[in-house]
């Protein structure tokens, strides 16, 4: 009798524990698995992470992870896609203000993502600017194309001359590296870093203007607009 009573008590305890955990919808459970994966992918190479690691981090079974994603690669792509989507929403271009002011706002929103979604940002850029392989590379390239488009929109440029395009892409790599460094060290105030990056863009655009009349004219226009009331 005592053994049966103890077994019954354990069963009721397990049932009670199950009721204590909020039942998640399909989308919520999927997002929970993605969030756990992003945390892992942001600190370790995907090759070093197993489905069991993700399941343990999310408090789920490996069978559930396979049910939602089919395998580790599909989970990795889904995690990167989730991070990219969140960033693309934040990068919607501002519609008011002078060009450089709109650029400052866009950079601030970019760092909002860096700070709020640190794991997603790190996972998205893991491997560096030269990583362009497969679906993962397509996702990262898509974000970089979107960011370039947002910068050009802020500067009121539809089709950039080659020198300006190269200059802006170089600056984007600087911004990415600065974001990763800031997450790792956080020894510079974020606002100061944002101002530094804008000042760096001004300097390299001025330099690029010496090599391309169109970029030089753009720099002069932006300088005049900044100084105007």
């Amino acid at each position: 009798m005592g053994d049966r009573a103890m077994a019954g008590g354990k069963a009721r305890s397990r049932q009670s524990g199950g009721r204590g955990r909020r039942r998640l919808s399909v989308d919520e459970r999927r997002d929970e698995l993605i969030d756990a994966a992003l945390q892992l992918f942001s600190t370790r190479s995907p090759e070093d992470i197993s489905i069991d690691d993700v399941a343990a981090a999310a408090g789920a079974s490996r069978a559930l992870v396979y049910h939602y994603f089919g395998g580790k690669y599909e989970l990795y792509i889904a995690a990167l896609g989730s991070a990219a989507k969140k960033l693309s929403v934040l990068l919607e271009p501002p519609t008011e203000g002078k060009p450089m002011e709109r650029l400052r706002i866009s950079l601030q929103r970019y760092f909002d993502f860096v700070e709020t979604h640190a794991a997603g940002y790190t996972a998205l850029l893991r491997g560096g600017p030269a990583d362009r392989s497969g679906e993962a590379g397509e996702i990262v390239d898509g974000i970089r194309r979107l960011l370039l488009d947002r910068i050009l929109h802020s500067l009121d440029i539809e089709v950039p001359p080659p020198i300006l395009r190269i200059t802006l892409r170089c600056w984007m790599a600087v911004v990415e590296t600065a974001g990763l460094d800031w997450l790792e060290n956080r020894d510079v105030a974020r606002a100061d870093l944002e101002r530094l990056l804008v000042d760096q863009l001004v300097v390299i655009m001025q330099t690029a203007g010496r090599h391309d009349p169109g970029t030089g004219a753009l720099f002069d226009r932006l300088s005049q607009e900044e100084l105007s009331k």
Side-chain angles (χ1 to χ4, degrees):
M1 285 290 292
D3 290 342
R4 285 197 298 271
M6 184 177 295
K10 290 180 178 179
R12 286 192 297 273
S13 176
R14 286 194 297 269
Q15 292 168 1
S16 174
R19 288 194 300 269
R21 182 179 174 85
R22 182 173 66 88
R23 185 177 295 277
L24 301 177
S25 69
V26 172
D27 288 341
E28 287 173 333
R29 191 55 168 159
R30 186 177 185 276
D31 290 343
E32 188 177 68
L33 293 171
I34 286 176
D35 288 342
L38 281 175
Q39 290 291 340
L40 294 173
F41 290 138
S42 69
T43 57
R44 293 156 56 191
S45 170
E47 292 77 14
D48 297 331
I49 297 170
S50 68
I51 288 293
D52 288 332
D53 293 331
V54 176
S61 67
R62 71 196 309 266
L64 187 65
V65 180
Y66 278 114
H67 171 72
Y68 279 101
F69 299 101
K72 185 175 71 173
Y73 181 74
E74 290 82 0
L75 173 59
Y76 179 59
I77 294 302
L80 291 187
S82 174
K85 183 176 180 181
K86 291 174 182 176
L87 179 55
S88 66
V89 170
L90 283 175
L91 289 178
E92 282 299 310
T95 57
E96 298 180 355
K98 299 175 183 178
M100 291 303 292
E101 179 60 28
R102 295 199 298 269
L103 181 64
R104 292 185 187 98
I105 293 172
S106 293
L107 187 63
Q108 184 179 35
R109 291 177 180 175
Y110 182 90
F111 272 89
D112 284 343
F113 178 85
V114 172
E115 183 168 18
T116 306
H117 304 283
Y121 181 79
T122 307
L124 191 62
L125 297 182
R126 192 172 185 84
D131 184 11
R132 295 177 176 269
S133 58
E135 292 179 79
E138 291 177 6
I139 291 173
V140 175
D141 277 350
I143 280 295
R144 288 173 179 148
R145 287 192 297 269
L146 177 65
L147 181 56
L148 178 61
D149 178 73
R150 296 296 187 255
I151 295 171
L152 293 172
H153 185 277
S154 295
L155 299 177
D156 293 328
I157 298 293
E158 292 186 6
V159 180
I163 293 296
L164 178 60
R165 184 194 66 242
I166 293 170
T167 298
L168 292 178
R169 283 183 168 171
C170 289
W171 181 70
M172 286 162 50
V174 170
V175 172
E176 289 179 359
T177 302
L180 292 171
D181 184 275
W182 184 78
L183 285 175
E184 180 181 356
N185 298 294
R186 294 184 186 256
D187 49 2
V188 175
R190 188 187 127 178
D192 291 341
L193 178 58
E194 291 173 11
R195 285 192 290 270
L196 171 65
L197 290 170
V198 172
D199 287 347
Q200 287 179 337
L201 176 60
V202 171
V203 171
I204 62 174
M205 283 185 62
Q206 184 179 29
T207 302
R210 302 193 190 113
H211 300 265
D212 173 62
T215 302
L218 171 63
F219 177 80
D220 292 340
R221 174 172 67 80
L222 294 175
S223 299
Q224 292 172 4
E225 291 177 349
E226 280 291 292
L227 295 174
S228 66
K229 297 293 184 179

